[in-house]
Amino acid sequence: MPNRDFDCLDENLGYDATNSWSGYNYQGKTAIYIALKKINSLYSSNNGTAIPTYFLELEWLEDFSIIYQIDGKMNYESIHQVKARKDTKISSYAQALTLLLKKIENHSEIGQAYLHTINIIDYPDGKWETALNDV
């Protein structure tokens, strides 16, 4: 992967590593799945020649990220936080969601941020922003 001319590590935002093997296993499978979806999307849209400009970044800015290179500069298409918790309440994921939002605020080059969970998260009114306000 080419060298980057920016430092995307912000120590004030902390780390959110899963502390179990099943969590790491789920994280790895999710990263592979998202990377394969991206490759398939590029190939299906007749943009297969762009595939070599995309990279899967592990454990840097987030659990994993999809980055791409344009004119020698690396850009974040998406960042991904992965949780393999049994909890289904939105309040259990408030910190992870807040950190994703802070990273988007602090790094304008990030296109999208995702929280992947092993279980469906319950937020009664259907809007996670409202549910977090109640935390």
Side-chain angles (χ1 to χ4, degrees), residues 71-126:
D71 298 327
K73 184 176 188 278
M74 299 307 288
N75 300 282
Y76 281 90
E77 180 173 287
S78 58
I79 60 173
H80 302 259
Q81 175 65 226
V82 181
K83 296 292 182 193
R85 296 180 180 160
K86 292 181 182 180
D87 293 327
T88 59
K89 295 180 182 175
I90 189 73
S91 59
S92 299
Y93 300 91
Q95 182 182 14
L97 288 166
T98 301
L99 286 173
L100 285 170
L101 290 172
K102 286 181 181 180
K103 288 177 182 180
I104 289 173
E105 288 175 357
N106 292 339
H107 301 282
S108 61
E109 74 275 5
I110 297 173
Q112 298 172 321
Y114 296 91
L115 173 64
H116 303 274
T117 61
I118 202 162
N119 290 310
I120 296 172
I121 299 175
D122 179 35
Y123 40 101
D125 70 355

Side-chain angles (χ1 to χ4, degrees), residues 2-8 70-75 109:
N3 291 331
R4 287 183 265 181
D5 58 355
F6 60 90
D7 182 12
C8 62
I70 293 180
D71 298 327
K73 184 176 188 278
M74 299 307 288
N75 300 282
E109 74 275 5

Side-chain angles (χ1 to χ4, degrees), residues 13-86:
L13 298 180
Y15 293 93
D16 196 18
T18 305
N19 60 5
S20 69
W21 181 252
S22 64
Y24 288 123
N25 190 23
Y26 180 65
Q27 180 178 319
K29 287 178 181 180
T30 303
I32 291 168
Y33 173 73
I34 296 299
L36 290 173
K37 270 184 68 171
K38 183 62 188 176
I39 291 167
N40 187 50
S41 171
L42 290 167
Y43 184 76
S44 296
S45 65
N46 293 323
N47 198 12
T49 58
I51 292 171
T53 65
Y54 281 82
F55 302 90
L56 177 62
E57 178 183 80
L58 301 172
E59 297 292 341
W60 185 253
L61 184 60
E62 250 321 323
D63 288 336
F64 70 93
S65 303
I66 302 294
I67 58 178
Y68 62 96
Q69 182 180 16
I70 293 180
D71 298 327
K73 184 176 188 278
M74 299 307 288
N75 300 282
Y76 281 90
E77 180 173 287
S78 58
I79 60 173
H80 302 259
Q81 175 65 226
V82 181
K83 296 292 182 193
R85 296 180 180 160
K86 292 181 182 180

